[in-house]
């Protein structure tokens, strides 16, 4: 079993939800690139916020980790769909159907 099959099995509920539209869909490669860029941006934001939390706070409050968690989950979702998702699942993110 290769990496793509493993990731597709792991994230099957997400992919099935995005691909449930049985109609025709409109896909452009720029949609995948934009989704990857958004995922990379949110990943960068989560790293920056975590770095500020760990270096600048004298008292560590766990409530400040909420943005790190949210940004990381959004980043993971966008990156997984943009890298391993089918064309239909990428167009499902943008809701682009004909």
């Amino acid at each position: 079993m290769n990496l793509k099959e493993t990731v597709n099995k792991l994230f099957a509920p997400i992919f099935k939800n995005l691909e449930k539209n049985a109609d025709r869909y409109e896909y452009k490669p720029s949609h995948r690139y934009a989704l990857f860029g958004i995922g990379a941006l949110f990943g960068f934001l989560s790293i920056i916020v975590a770095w500020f939390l760990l270096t600048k706070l004298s008292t560590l409050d766990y409530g400040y980790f909420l943005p790190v968690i949210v940004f990381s989950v959004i980043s993971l979702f966008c990156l997984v769909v943009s890298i391993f998702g089918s064309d239909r699942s990428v167009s499902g993110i943008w809701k682009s159907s004909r």
Side-chain angles (χ1 to χ4, degrees), residues 1-12 15 80 84:
M1 184 180 296
N2 62 10
L3 180 65
K4 186 168 184 166
E5 292 173 359
T6 305
V7 171
N8 281 336
K9 282 186 179 182
L10 185 63
F11 292 100
F15 291 142
V80 164
F84 298 107

Side-chain angles (χ1 to χ4, degrees), residues 3-98:
L3 180 65
K4 186 168 184 166
E5 292 173 359
T6 305
V7 171
N8 281 336
K9 282 186 179 182
L10 185 63
F11 292 100
I14 293 172
F15 291 142
K16 285 181 183 178
N17 190 23
L18 291 172
E19 295 173 353
K20 70 181 177 183
N21 190 3
D23 297 337
R24 294 184 349 184
Y25 63 95
E26 183 177 340
Y27 169 76
K28 296 178 185 175
S30 63
H31 293 163
R32 190 176 298 271
Y33 296 135
L35 190 61
F36 184 82
I38 291 170
L41 177 68
F42 273 102
F44 180 70
L45 285 173
S46 68
I47 290 170
I48 293 297
V49 171
W51 181 74
F52 277 125
L53 283 175
L54 296 176
T55 59
K56 302 296 181 188
L57 287 178
S58 59
T59 59
L60 189 62
D61 186 13
Y62 293 112
Y64 291 115
F65 282 105
L66 183 64
V68 174
I69 294 168
V70 170
F71 289 160
S72 298
V73 168
I74 292 171
S75 173
L76 178 68
F77 175 76
C78 290
L79 291 175
V80 164
V81 172
S82 69
I83 294 171
F84 298 107
S86 65
D87 295 345
R88 185 179 291 274
S89 63
V90 171
S91 67
I93 292 282
W94 302 111
K95 302 287 187 213
S96 57
S97 61
R98 289 184 177 190

